[in-house]
Amino acid sequence: MNATPNNVDATEIAKFDALASRWWDPAGEFRPLHKINPLRLDYIRQRATLSGSRVVDIGCGGGILTESMAALGASVTGIDMAEGPLAVARLHQAESGTNVEYLQSTAEDLASKRPGQFDVVTCLEMLEHVPSPPAVIAACAELLRPGGNMFFSTINRNPKSFLFAIIGAEYVLRLLPAGTHEYEKFIRPSELERWSRHCGLQLKSSIGLHYNPLTREYSLGENIDVNYLMHFQRPDDA
Ligand code: SAH
């Protein structure tokens, strides 16, 4: 086996590998990703042209978001470091008839090979699983062409997010397997904005992603205390 690259947590990758076969079960461990996908896809397509665009999805897993962007006419590359989810993603696209280029790669490695080659970069629910989020953000910025659009999503770090995203989601409501997330790895919006700004990205908008335990439905809204998405743009070259 190859050595694990620096900015990859082998324990995290093993967690996703172990659950790979469950990825496309809408009632399984990845149910939340299936439920939120239409919402986040809408957020992205309202802010960036997908049809005809070159898109890279960083930490694509089994390809839920990846395929949905390809279905809208984008030319999509999906990268992940976990082999199991990538294998499932490849099988699934063969069945669904979408066309995604899936690669086992880190963002940093792809950025060194294809800098400036993407109109849109998405990196959703991934930053909270890597040792150094700023290094991934820098690679994402490098992958974007000038004027390109960047989308991140992650989980805020505060007492409320500990209660909702870990205690609530993993232990009380059991929306996610216990141990999916570590509180210390959560990222404040101010940190995500600052790290992105240092890479030349400009914040365009942010939005919260909320779960209602009574209706069991997700929705987008202003409050970014727990789960949130951010849209950045790489400015056009002067
Ligand atoms: N972005 C997808 C999947 C999120 S789960 C979605 O939102 O639907 C997080 C994914 O990030 C997992 O598939 C995991 O294998 C991947 N991942 C974790 N660390 C990574 C790294 N350093 N490089 C690439 N992928 C990574």
Side-chain angles (χ1 to χ4, degrees):
M1 224 171 89
N2 297 331
T4 307
N6 270 345
N7 197 19
V8 178
D9 181 336
T11 315
E12 292 278 4
I13 300 303
K15 270 198 282 200
F16 290 104
D17 259 331
L19 288 171
S21 65
R22 313 283 297 136
W23 213 284
W24 283 91
D25 179 351
E29 287 85 346
F30 295 100
R31 181 175 191 271
L33 294 182
H34 288 276
K35 294 288 276 184
I36 66 176
N37 202 54
L39 298 171
R40 58 193 191 173
L41 182 63
D42 265 355
Y43 181 76
I44 293 168
R45 68 194 291 201
Q46 278 166 20
R47 284 163 184 79
T49 306
L50 288 177
S51 180
S53 292
R54 299 158 302 169
V55 179
V56 61
D57 188 23
I58 311 293
C60 63
I64 296 172
L65 175 73
T66 338
E67 265 197 23
S68 67
M69 294 191 290
L72 291 174
S75 162
V76 191
T77 300
I79 67 165
D80 204 284
M81 282 306 285
E83 277 173 29
L86 280 176
V88 167
R90 289 192 183 105
L91 278 176
H92 195 274
Q93 74 161 338
E95 272 178 33
S96 67
T98 43
N99 186 16
V100 175
E101 175 195 30
Y102 285 111
L103 302 172
Q104 188 178 25
S105 175
T106 60
E108 292 92 327
D109 197 32
L110 193 70
S112 70
K113 293 177 182 143
R114 302 191 193 173
Q117 289 187 23
F118 294 92
D119 304 300
V120 177
V121 178
T122 54
C123 181
L124 306 191
E125 315 302 329
M126 183 271 194
L127 290 174
E128 68 276 18
H129 299 286
V130 297
S132 168
V136 173
I137 294 168
C140 288
E142 221 179 310
L143 285 160
L144 270 183
R145 67 155 168 85
N149 290 290
M150 177 76 236
F151 295 90
F152 290 114
S153 73
T154 189
I155 307 175
N156 201 340
R157 191 176 71 256
N158 56 47
K160 181 176 166 184
S161 73
F162 178 74
L163 197 66
F164 280 57
I166 296 195
I167 304 299
E170 295 185 14
Y171 296 93
V172 180
L173 302 170
R174 297 181 188 273
L175 301 171
L176 291 168
T180 299
H181 288 120
E182 286 166 50
Y183 177 71
E184 298 71 30
K185 290 188 174 163
F186 288 176
I187 298 169
R188 295 196 177 118
S190 58
E191 294 166 334
L192 184 52
E193 192 279 329
R194 188 175 71 245
W195 294 333
S196 301
R197 182 161 31 85
H198 287 168
C199 301
L201 298 174
Q202 286 177 351
L203 181 62
K204 291 289 168 183
S205 84
S206 48
I207 199 157
L209 182 69
H210 310 146
Y211 180 70
N212 180 334
L214 299 177
T215 60
R216 301 180 71 200
E217 293 298 332
Y218 291 83
S219 59
L220 296 178
E222 263 176 36
N223 191 314
I224 57 172
D225 286 351
V226 186
N227 292 83
Y228 64 98
L229 289 125
M230 277 185 165
H231 170 210
F232 294 86
Q233 206 162 36
R234 180 174 163 184
D236 275 314
D237 282 341

